[in-house]
């Protein structure tokens, strides 16, 4: 893994109890950053903290439901209280209502509150700290479904399109203040979220067949891109939805 030179930096990761979020928290730590680990899953989140500490890194745990403004404010404050500043933020928490009818009122509202409102609330609080300290980098988790259509997931697709829009908004709003805002747009990645899909060998084969590279992505491959987007190696990159999909949207 590449060291992106984040020594003395502080990173915040939501949805960090597993999957892409955990992989990103570990990648931030390997590059030298202290990490605020957040999720609604306390057991998984504390396990992520333990993995970082066992590897010699620094991390703290803070539970946060990103759909609640008070909890988001407390999460960002906890990062500053623990480490003194906030340099990098990865707004990764989200849900995918694969088995549900997203046109149902409750399912639609939950998708919207977590996937879209949650990103907005995080950006708002993170930017306030970064503006006061003179800069920072924010990365949001969108999806290839934030760039193309999907006939079966209206809520997920709409919210991820919204995340791309919020990302571009933030990039323009804070560009001159030294805050860069980007998004990652993963294809189908092997994570706990996609486990129900790939549990069926035939479905897994179909998904792999839809990807020109012939396989699903790994959480660590998304994490590397996230840390790069938060590092000085991407100093002139902002407002960009970075597609990481094995060529799926190139078809």
């Amino acid at each position: 893994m590449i060291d992106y030179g984040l020594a003395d930096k502080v990173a915040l990761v939501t949805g960090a109890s597993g999957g892409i979020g955990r992989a990103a928290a570990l990648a931030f730590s390997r590059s030298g950053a202290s990490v605020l680990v957040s999720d609604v899953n306390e057991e998984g989140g504390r396990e992520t903290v333990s993995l970082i500490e066992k590897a010699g890194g620094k991390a703290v745990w803070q539970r946060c439901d990103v759909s609640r403004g008070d909890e988001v404010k407390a999460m960002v404050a906890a990062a500053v209280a623990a480490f003194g500043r906030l340099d990098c933020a990865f707004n990764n928490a989200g849900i995918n209502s694969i088995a549900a009818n997203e046109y149902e009122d409750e399912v639609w509202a939950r998708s919207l509150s977590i996937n879209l409102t949650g990103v907005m609330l995080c950006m708002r609080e993170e930017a306030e700290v970064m503006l006061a300290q003179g800069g920072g980098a924010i990365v949001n988790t969108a999806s290839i479904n934030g760039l193309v259509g999907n006939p079966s997931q209206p809520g997920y697709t709409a919210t991820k399109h919204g995340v791309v829009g919020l990302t571009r908004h933030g990039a323009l709003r804070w560009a001159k203040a030294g805050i860069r805002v980007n998004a990652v747009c993963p294809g189908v990645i092997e994570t706990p979220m996609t486990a129900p899909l790939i549990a069926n060998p035939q479905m897994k084969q179909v998904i792999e067949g839809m990807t020109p590279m012939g396989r699903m992505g790994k959480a660590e491959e998304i994490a590397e891109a996230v840390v790069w987007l938060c590092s000085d190696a991407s100093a002139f990159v902002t407002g960009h939805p970075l597609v990481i999909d094995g060529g799926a949207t190139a078809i």
Side-chain angles (χ1 to χ4, degrees), residues 31 65 90 101 128 158 196:
S31 280
D65 176 347
F90 180 34
N101 177 4
E128 184 175 335

Side-chain angles (χ1 to χ4, degrees), residues 142-157:
S143 166
I144 57 172
N145 288 318
L147 300 171
V148 298
N150 183 320
S152 63
Q153 294 177 287
Y156 186 76
T157 301

